[in-house]
Amino acid sequence: MAAVAVSQVEEVAKAGLVKDESLVELVVEKTQETQGALMDVALAPSAYRKTDSIGMTMFHCCAALGIDWAVKAMCATGVDLNHTDSRKRTALHWAVARGNEVIVASLLNAGAKTRCVAEWDGKLFTPAELAIYCGHE
């Protein structure tokens, strides 16, 4: 996860776009620190208990935003993959609505239910139906 970001920084350095090696080292260090801090937040038990005004958790938000490393990490900790917000939308619903194919695959591989029905725009959809409704096939 952090390794991907670090390797991207190193690729920029190898291309000669950044002349100051200490700047590259600083960026690598800060990337690793940030990734670690985000991982701590994502894996904290409180991340699953806190909800916003419509019942979305951090897990729902990461799925909707396409933050794959966080979704995979949360799945590995045993998060309830099928936890619903106030409209019965799961992380899978949020991922398909946003067209986040990598997140959808991660959630399906982790065992997310595909037959749960949720409200979206006043209509009821399974995740597959919602993907079509939102223009993602």
Side-chain angles (χ1 to χ4, degrees):
M1 297 164 202
V4 173
V6 170
S7 69
Q8 290 171 343
V9 171
E10 289 170 346
E11 286 299 316
V12 170
K14 286 179 190 173
L17 300 174
V18 179
K19 303 296 182 203
D20 186 350
E21 273 299 312
S22 64
L23 180 59
V24 172
E25 291 172 11
L26 178 63
V27 170
V28 167
E29 178 185 329
K30 294 302 179 188
T31 299
Q32 290 171 329
E33 287 175 11
T34 302
Q35 188 77 26
L38 289 171
M39 187 64 86
D40 289 345
V41 169
L43 297 180
S46 62
Y48 311 128
R49 287 192 299 269
K50 290 182 183 177
T51 60
D52 69 2
S53 61
I54 63 165
M56 284 183 72
T57 64
M58 183 180 293
F59 187 55
H60 290 110
C61 293
C62 289
L65 295 171
I67 306 173
D68 187 47
W69 64 266
V71 170
K72 285 180 179 176
M74 290 181 195
C75 287
T77 66
V79 66
D80 178 3
L81 300 174
N82 303 301
H83 179 80
T84 60
D85 65 15
S86 62
R87 294 192 177 117
K88 305 293 183 209
R89 298 174 292 198
T90 65
L92 184 57
H93 284 97
W94 282 103
V96 299
R98 301 292 188 257
N100 294 324
E101 293 177 18
V102 172
I103 302 297
V104 170
S106 294
L107 291 169
L108 292 174
N109 287 334
K113 292 182 181 175
T114 60
R115 310 281 285 153
C116 44
V117 177
E119 180 186 340
W120 202 277
D121 291 340
K123 300 175 180 112
L124 298 177
F125 298 99
T126 65
E129 294 165 339
L130 182 59
I132 293 167
Y133 176 77
C134 292
H136 313 292
E137 294 188 35

